[in-house]
Amino acid sequence: MSQNAPPLDPPQRLLMGPGPSAVHPRVLEALAKGTVGHLDPYYLELMDGLQGLLRQLFRTNNELTFAVSGTGSAGMEATVVNLIEPGDSMVVCINGVFGSRMAEVAERAGAVVTRVERPWGEVFSVEDLESTLEQARPKVVGIVMAETSTGAYQPLEEISRRVHEAGGLLLVDAVTSLGGVPVEVDAWGIDAIYSGTQKCLSCPPGLAPVSFSPRALEVIRSRKTKVQSWYLDASLLASYWGSNRVYHHTGPINMSYALYEALRLIHEEGLEACFARHLLHHEALAAGLAALGIGYTAQPGHRLPMLNAVAVPKGVDDAAVRRGLLEDFGIEIGGGLGAFAGKVWRIGLMGYGARTNNVLLFLAALEHLLAKQGHPFSAGSGVAAASAHYT
Amino acid sequence: MSQNAPPLDPPQRLLMGPGPSAVHPRVLEALAKGTVGHLDPYYLELMDGLQGLLRQLFRTNNELTFAVSGTGSAGMEATVVNLIEPGDSMVVCINGVFGSRMAEVAERAGAVVTRVERPWGEVFSVEDLESTLEQARPKVVGIVMAETSTGAYQPLEEISRRVHEAGGLLLVDAVTSLGGVPVEVDAWGIDAIYSGTQKCLSCPPGLAPVSFSPRALEVIRSRKTKVQSWYLDASLLASYWGSNRVYHHTGPINMSYALYEALRLIHEEGLEACFARHLLHHEALAAGLAALGIGYTAQPGHRLPMLNAVAVPKGVDDAAVRRGLLEDFGIEIGGGLGAFAGKVWRIGLMGYGARTNNVLLFLAALEHLLAKQGHPFSAGSGVAAASAHYT
């Protein structure tokens, strides 16, 4: 018997961080169904079903819509490396960690990257991009819809129009947004988009839903060089996900079961109802936090419902509170990344996690820990304010 | 409610193809445990445990041993792109589909690739490589230990010695071999190796165990260019899997549970016992097949125990037999790939699938279908021959 390998026994956690988020019990059940082969007639049907459900969620007719066999970051890399050839101009909008990551990925793919930056927590307007679009004449403009490091909620419609006027393709990071707020791929003219399973889809991490517009597909088809990644080559993947079913790699069967069930849950609830639920619990949480004197970091009017990034109150020990939440209550929230380390908490209300019980329990636990640290607030006021919002 | 999305209900299959293979019930159970965060103290401990178990299985002390968040092909790409910089010389040994794939991946990474070829089903000797090593002076030599398309079992010790004498690094595909036959990373001097979870580890597809030697790590550390893939960059991944735990991407938590449990099962059984079990059932199957007049495609003395590639008997309809196995018996085996399409069956006895019941049931089902097709054999002889092997 091997050393250092005790039986698997993960603790029960209430996942209220930036993801992975709470997984729906039906999704865990799906995950444990018996594995079939990746060319089994049943699995091929399931792939069709998955594609159909993803198209409905992305609100698109894009044929090239599927799940990359990797996490959200693999989705980012897949969209970038398929669109970019060495020497291509790409503009990346950076107002947090994930914009920076996209720029890094694009440079490694050989893009000449122009970074447009905004302070963390703020969003981009068309005006912020004007001069760069003129000068860089980008083939691709990359932007993050829901910046998980800051909680900023980026509007896309106008920017998409302007990018297309300038002859570029719009590439969108929807890792945290998909399933929590409307993502209108066709109506907004998004050319390439990626997400992850572990945010608002109530599913464990492991797959990255992606979609490419016909315009993006045309660009991919007329490449002069091969895509640098064989694993992520969209043309090869299209032959496996498409009707010819050419074997490419062995898909992650059980994770596909989980994503399928997760998407069924969303469509059972209905997209509008699902988005409304995320908003409701966000507002309740925000009311509770406000009562405790805790404010948001993202600019007003541009706050994500599913990812509440808030300032750690002055005099309060960030790490001690997060440790207390985890150890005493089994609740995970996220700390700040990069420039926000030690200064920000990131509270996720994503998918199955966006529920009344979670909001109230979290606020009660937070009040308990803040009181221990001598933070001034009226006892019970956070829970009461959130509770009032539900009536 | 969405269209075309019936409830998830995968059929029960006996997976006896080239992978995915039969998943152990304890592994399916592990998969469905509650998700924790990717920076949860429990998950960090689990990562340490996983690394320890993988080192024991790879028989290595390599610090840089971990699971890539993708399938076996992502493991191939991860090892190649970390070792190769544009313009580097790489030799790839090709005697089946997966050698060709490695050459393709290497070229996309910018390698100047020299292909050394052997007929499908045969293996390489040191002599086959001599002149190429002299001429190409490769930085890396890539070779497939268990060619899943042909069932050929490649010895590595002598080739490794010669590659090192010539100043190269040895990169090994162990996707199908790991867990089924001895893989001695340190004793054989392997510099980089990758595998997949869905073959002899009794686990669903989705992760790719990899390991890099200190020599390979040194090469990675002294690169002049960045690794073209951010997602697969071993230096970044080393910082997450190592003691500093720098956030890189959100790991596939539940798949990690599954791999952990799968590795525990192997070490509970013991490596030697596990390899002996694979050999026993292979020999029983081979005896049964021989009685039915069915022979192997790989050269004698170099046949993989876990992947039995055999010639479809003359006059027998390949597709009809495989369809009959699947539809009438729920048994999946593999057809031939590439040059072997229509001519070869690939029968997997991998991990949890390598059991007496499976061998006997498969032979009984095969006899039933061969009789229907008028293939001449003595009824019951296949099952009897295999059965005799167990006594």
Side-chain angles (χ1 to χ4, degrees), chain A residues 6 13 40 77 229 233 260, chain B residues 6 13 40 77 108 229 260:
Chain A
R13 299 292 194 214
D40 193 290
E77 196 151 309
S229 170
D233 186 319
Y260 181 80
Chain B
R13 298 293 194 213
D40 194 290
E77 196 152 307
R108 290 176 186 231
S229 170
Y260 180 81

Side-chain angles (χ1 to χ4, degrees), chain A residues 60 78 119 132 166 171 180 270 346:
Chain A
T60 184
T132 310
L171 192 168
R346 294 182 298 152

